[in-house]
Amino acid sequence: MFAHVDINNCYVSCERLFNPALEGRVVVVLSNNDGCVIARSIEAKAIGIKMADAEFMVRQNLKENNAAIFSSNYALYADMSARLMNNLARYTYTLMVYSIDEAFMALGNISDLDLEKHTAAISENVMRHTGLPITVGVGPTMALAKLANKAAKKQKRNFLVLDTDEKVDATVRDFPIEDVWGVGHQYYHKLTEFGVKTAHDFRELKADFVRQHMTVQGWRLHQELWGKPCNIIKDVAERSKGIESSQSFNSYQTELEPLEEAVAMHAATVALKLRQQQSMALTLTIYLRTNKHNVKHDQHYPSITVKVPFAANTTYQLTRVAVQAIRAIYQPGYNYLKTGVRATGIIPAGEVQYHMFSVYEHSKEQKLSELMDGLNSRYGRGTVRLGADSFERKWIMKQEFLSHQYTTDWKDIIVTQ
């Protein structure tokens, strides 16, 4: 059996956890640069606020409803996510973190347990230990566990256990096909043409027919909905094939220096992510973007992919390559709004081959990065950084509604009396 767990309205729940006065109010969280809505409370949904609504388009509606508006506070959300995952790990030997607010758990053979009570205990204990409201779906496959989670939300329940064929049949019968995990926009329209409207309809299709029209991925999903596991849960997240860090500026940038600083910051972020998953990158892609929506500005979207001399994950090495690359593609006279760094050609750190005739002080750079990681982990991200990554950061994104970093910054810790 598998369990799928996610945080209800994750970003909104994190904000409410440290500000209980927000309970019952309209709450929205905005994307980078406060551009559009990326999280909504139930009350926000009730007044018609939709995902990805531009902030300026719903500003009046939010004001009239006394809404609480927040900029994305990823430091807070990431820390709360880590607390959730640590709690979930107590209930399984195999936990796969699927995203910042989602995880799968392999429950194994627990026939001697009451699944309903066990699942209820997970939900209650997570709430008690973290303060985060979660929903738990349990099923014989990962796809059915995910489906059970969504069905539980529709039924306004904290959990739903599909441990018998009768429960599965009853749940999939009216479950919309577009809400099934793995059915994207393209498959949805194709299945609609075949008359498939529910998960039940999809299950009734012949397996050969599904494989012919939806490739092996669709066939695996079909098998999973019949309770036959095809996805293999792993005890660690699958190593990413590409890692990217990017960000829009709060104002147009025309000079090279702030662009170098931004690229250095993104390269350091990419290097940290590579080290965290014990990988190294063979290539980096660095790009610049002007604002395509501003027709008054000349447009320029340069990018360059460069090979790292040696597969690397050190901050020094990747920053050096990235800064050299941005100098190669930068052209004066344009109003740049965004830049980013993408690492590809990612390989396990233990499979790197070095050139026997070249001198590469990998261990020295590695020790330096590990020392920086240790200090930044203890004293806060960015406490120690390379000189190329400025402390000024005048180009940093707009965050007019940013809440406190309650769990990661000493000065933001809540004081009680």
Side-chain angles (χ1 to χ4, degrees), residues 182-193:
V183 176
H185 187 72
Q186 186 175 356
Y187 279 153
Y188 167 66
H189 287 288
K190 181 176 288 187
L191 289 170
T192 302
E193 293 175 2

Side-chain angles (χ1 to χ4, degrees), residues 219-231:
W219 176 81
R220 286 176 177 168
L221 174 60
H222 187 260
Q223 296 295 297
E224 289 243 326
L225 290 181
W226 277 109
K228 302 173 183 176
C230 292
N231 292 308

Side-chain angles (χ1 to χ4, degrees), residues 371-386 389-391 393 408-410:
L371 179 62
M372 292 170 63
D373 290 345
L375 292 170
N376 288 332
S377 175
R378 181 172 182 178
Y379 297 106
R381 185 176 178 181
T383 301
V384 179
R385 64 183 78 168
L386 298 183
D389 183 2
S390 170
F391 278 88
R393 291 185 178 177
T408 56
D409 195 327
W410 285 107

Side-chain angles (χ1 to χ4, degrees), residues 273-310:
K273 291 181 178 179
L274 285 168
R275 292 194 294 274
Q276 288 175 337
Q277 68 170 36
Q278 299 180 355
S279 298
M280 292 190 176
L282 292 167
T283 55
L284 286 185
T285 298
I286 292 85
Y287 60 86
L288 285 166
R289 297 285 185 271
T290 50
N291 184 359
K292 64 181 180 181
H293 300 293
N294 192 332
V295 295
K296 296 180 181 179
H297 291 174
D298 294 332
Q299 301 298 314
H300 195 219
Y301 313 112
S303 69
I304 185 171
T305 299
V306 293
K307 186 176 180 180
V308 182
F310 298 93

Side-chain angles (χ1 to χ4, degrees), residues 156-168:
K156 298 182 179 179
R157 301 173 54 173
N158 294 332
F159 64 89
L160 178 62
V161 178
L162 302 180
D163 54 351
T164 66
D165 291 341
E166 291 75 17
K167 290 182 181 178
V168 173

Side-chain angles (χ1 to χ4, degrees), residues 139-148 162 164-165 167-173 175-183 191 196 198-205 210 214 217-231:
T141 65
M142 293 172 68
L144 282 174
K146 181 98 172 176
L147 187 149
L162 302 180
T164 66
D165 291 341
K167 290 182 181 178
V168 173
D169 291 341
T171 305
V172 302
R173 185 158 298 280
F175 195 87
I177 187 62
E178 62 267 33
D179 289 343
V180 174
W181 185 37
V183 176
L191 289 170
V196 174
T198 66
H200 171 77
D201 296 338
F202 181 63
R203 291 209 315 170
E204 292 304 310
L205 296 176
V210 173
M214 298 179 64
Q217 295 298 329
W219 176 81
R220 286 176 177 168
L221 174 60
H222 187 260
Q223 296 295 297
E224 289 243 326
L225 290 181
W226 277 109
K228 302 173 183 176
C230 292
N231 292 308

Side-chain angles (χ1 to χ4, degrees), residues 51 101 112 168 217 262 313 317 346 351 387 396 414:
M51 284 293 285
D101 66 336
D112 55 334
V168 173
Q217 295 298 329
N313 63 8
Q317 189 64 231
I346 295 174
E351 299 179 8
I396 206 74
I414 292 177

